[in-house]
Structure formats: structure tokens, C-alpha cells
Amino acid sequence: MRVLTVNPGSSSVKLSVVDDGREVDQATVGAASAAQARQPLADLVGRGHPIDAAGVRFVHGGLSTDAVPLDRAETARLTALTPLAPLHQPLSLELAAVVAEIVPGPVYACFDTAFHALMPDAAARYALPKSWVREHALRRYGFHGLSCASALRRTAELLDRDHTGLRLVCCHIGSGVSVTAVRDGHGVDTSMGFTPLEGAVMATRSGSVDPGLLLYLLRSGVTDVAGLDDALDRGSGLAGMTGTGGDVRDVLAARDRGDPDARTAIEVYLHRLRREIGAMAASLDRLDALVFTGGVAEHQPGLLAELCGGLGIFGVRADPGRLAAEGDRQVGRAHEPVRVLVVAAREGLEIARQTSLALAAGAGGPCDR
């Protein structure tokens, strides 16, 4: 089965053609724009690839556990979720509409939230009035699930283990950052919550902030709701702390030049990541492996060495030589009880896998994890 996959990120759109689990063609649009992706999409399909179906990554799918065909009703449901993922949901909807014009086969939505849909109530519930929770579907949804699912399967291959038996802490470290506890083949706790704002510090997102502090800013007139929304999503994190655009490479370069704000920002970034890793480890009955994935994890070995250097209490020790190598690999020192791995983010392959399974099972059929 040949699947066109569309993976919109914060700064680019990744396109690929996957044939029976193998990527046979790909393209990257260097801007997160549906209009700019239209021609590369048409070019990709036009290169002689008969497409059976297309899969589009959606950050927020509510409590859906499977890939689903995008019809009018599903599109309307996903549009209603836009306030919960304002940086990503609109682009996915626009891209899906473009794909539907170009690809003759069905278009499926694949969800980052699906990997976390079976989280136990202890991890998913907020301690808020139960009437609010019921009426407004307030819960911790979790994100980066497609990345986690891909990392879990690749880790199982590298360790020669059944993926459903592994206990992992999976760290997706890119422009967005999340940490997930994985058991029985799915997420059982995760750092992101109702929206992708919760948890660790990110490139432009704040991560968790005392809600009382936010109320103070609103009551004091420092900002209004719209200003707060923009600041938390686009003007905080590494960007807000340093005055840069939030790219880790720029912040590290500033630190190397002696910038004190950049130095503090990296310290905060690493501290909050370690704290989330510790919290996720506490959600498991044992820890088989710590897995790093995402662009920063793959391409910043020095920063990863700093991160791992503060995780000795969990039995995590990384080998500098292995960290500096390339490809999917174990980077922990030999014979340590907790394996440490770096694997490439392969969300496109996971999108293709889920789309193929849903198509084979029939519209909206169950997807094997």
C-alpha cells in the first residue's frame, strides 16, 4: 500500500511517499504554509507515485484512538479543537483540504493525542470542579504521540524486545518538548496536558507556569487574554528568556559568547526537562530505557550530554563518543541497567502505518498500536 504522508511542524511541512513501510520519496517545504506546500505536494504525487491514501498529522484529535477518514463531520470536529492547539491545528486543516484536491484516494487524520488516549485517570484528570470537567472535556490529552509511537517501535527493534513489554521514558525534544511514560505500548503519563503548553520549557512556549501568576498578570492589567495567549505560545520559552527566536542553536551560540541570559535559559531548559523525566519515571514500575528523539535530540549531542549528566540518580549515563555518532543508536555506557538511546523522529512512517491499517480495516476501523 502506498501512502502520502503530510507532517506539518512549527516551521516546515514534511511530505513523503511511503510504500509498504519504506519511504520512497520525500520533500520538505521550508515554511509552515498550506499555500506553499501545494506545488511540492502536486510534484511529489506527479512523480509517478499512484497513491492509495493520504495521512495528515493532526496535533489534537480529542479522545480519538485511531486514524479516521476526513469527512465533513470529522473536519468540523477537528476545527472545533483549534483553540486547544492554535499553532498547529489550522495548518493541518488547510493542508488536508489541499491534499483532498490533489490525491484521488481517501484522506485520513492521524492524531498526536491518540497515543495518550488510554492514560489512567490518575494521570489524565485535573483537580477541577467535576461539572467543568464533564461539560468542557477538561483533561490531560498529551501530544507528540506519533513521535512516541515511532520511537517505541524503533527502540524495540534496537533492543530486540516486544514493544508492548517495554517501560520507557520518551523525550521528544524539538521546537516543542514533551516527556512521556510508556507502558503496554501506549502513554500512561506525559508532560503536556490540555494543550501543548504544559510541561517542559520549549523554543517559544512557556511550559508549566503557576496559574496564580497568570491570574496576577491579568488582574494587574499587565496583559489581556489575547496578549497572554500570544506570549505563552509565541513569546516565552527560550525566545522569551533570551530575546532570540528560540532556536536552541542560537541560544547555545549566545551562551558560548558569554551571554548571561542565554546561560540561565539553558540551565532552566535542562532543569525543567530533568524534572519532567523524573516525574515520568515515577509513573512506571521499572525503567528499561530512556529514549531521545526530535531535531534537538538528534543534532545537539553536547546539550544531550549536559542533560544526561544530571540524571545519574536514575542510572542514566551517556557515552560522549556514542552521543557524537550518527544514526539510531544506544548512547548509554555498556552494562548500565537503564538503556539510553537516540532515535530519529519518523512521524511520517507512523502516519503511513496508521493510515494503512485504518484503510485496510475500513472507514474508521481500529488501528493496531
Side-chain angles (χ1 to χ4, degrees):
M1 188 176 293
R2 189 168 286 175
V3 178
L4 172 70
T5 73
V6 181
N7 179 13
S10 299
S11 58
S12 65
V13 179
K14 296 177 182 177
L15 313 171
S16 64
V17 176
V18 179
D19 192 350
D20 290 334
R22 183 174 61 89
E23 186 180 74
V24 297
D25 204 349
Q26 61 85 31
T28 298
V29 181
S33 162
Q36 289 177 284
R38 178 183 292 273
Q39 193 57 51
L41 268 167
D43 292 343
L44 198 61
V45 175
R47 289 203 281 264
H49 301 301
I51 303 298
D52 295 299
V56 180
R57 175 196 173 207
F58 277 79
V59 164
H60 215 306
L63 290 178
S64 294
T65 58
D66 310 319
V68 298
L70 273 169
D71 55 19
R72 287 185 180 180
E74 184 62 18
T75 298
R77 186 183 76 87
L78 295 177
T79 300
L81 292 172
T82 294
L84 306 188
L87 291 183
H88 300 90
Q89 202 84 344
L91 177 58
S92 293
L93 288 161
E94 292 168 10
L95 285 166
V98 171
V99 171
E101 295 175 9
I102 295 172
V103 177
V107 181
Y108 284 79
C110 299
F111 305 117
D112 269 322
T113 46
F115 189 75
H116 311 287
L118 299 179
M119 273 197 302
D121 283 347
R125 286 287 298 271
Y126 286 111
L128 294 170
K130 62 182 181 180
S131 59
W132 293 6
V133 171
R134 283 197 304 265
E135 292 169 22
H136 303 286
L138 304 181
R139 57 165 283 143
R140 304 185 69 250
Y141 289 98
F143 302 91
H144 288 146
L146 293 166
S147 177
C148 289
S150 173
L152 170 61
R153 292 181 181 280
R154 183 60 178 140
T155 298
E157 291 174 358
L158 292 171
L159 299 182
D160 194 23
R161 297 276 299 273
D162 178 356
H163 75 280
T164 62
L166 283 172
R167 307 293 198 264
L168 304 181
V169 169
C170 181
C171 304
H172 179 101
I173 312 177
S175 294
V177 179
S178 69
V179 185
T180 298
V182 181
R183 186 179 68 234
D184 301 328
H186 62 85
V188 294
D189 198 359
T190 191
S191 58
M192 287 179 168
F194 185 62
T195 74
L197 270 174
E198 190 177 354
V201 171
M202 301 169 232
T204 66
R205 282 171 268 175
S206 64
S208 294
V209 179
D210 178 357
L213 183 155
L214 304 180
L215 291 171
Y216 166 80
L217 293 174
L218 292 172
R219 288 171 177 158
S220 302
V222 174
T223 187
D224 57 14
V225 171
L228 185 62
D229 186 15
D230 184 67
L232 293 176
D233 254 327
R234 300 172 179 84
S236 296
L238 291 175
M241 287 190 286
T242 63
T244 68
D247 189 305
V248 166
R249 293 168 295 188
D250 296 334
V251 180
L252 289 173
R255 184 181 69 168
D256 290 343
R257 295 193 299 268
D259 186 317
D261 289 334
R263 182 180 65 250
T264 299
I266 292 296
E267 289 173 353
V268 172
Y269 181 83
L270 294 176
H271 171 77
R272 293 286 294 274
L273 249 175
R274 293 188 192 108
R275 191 168 76 175
E276 295 296 348
I277 289 169
M280 294 306 111
S283 296
L284 300 172
D285 54 349
R286 70 173 189 272
L287 180 58
D288 297 323
L290 175 63
V291 183
F292 297 103
T293 191
V296 173
E298 293 172 46
H299 303 299
Q300 296 295 331
L303 186 65
L304 213 55
E306 290 185 57
L307 175 63
C308 291
L311 295 172
I313 192 171
F314 300 107
V316 170
R317 291 173 178 82
D319 183 299
R322 294 179 180 178
L323 278 171
E326 296 183 354
D328 296 344
R329 62 204 182 276
Q330 294 192 53
V331 299
R333 294 176 179 171
H335 311 304
E336 293 292 347
V338 177
R339 304 293 182 92
V340 185
L341 300 94
V342 175
V343 300
R346 294 183 177 87
E347 291 160 316
L349 293 183
E350 183 62 23
I351 291 168
R353 189 188 73 85
Q354 293 191 14
T355 299
S356 297
L357 288 168
L359 184 61
C367 278
D368 170 45
R369 285 187 199 284

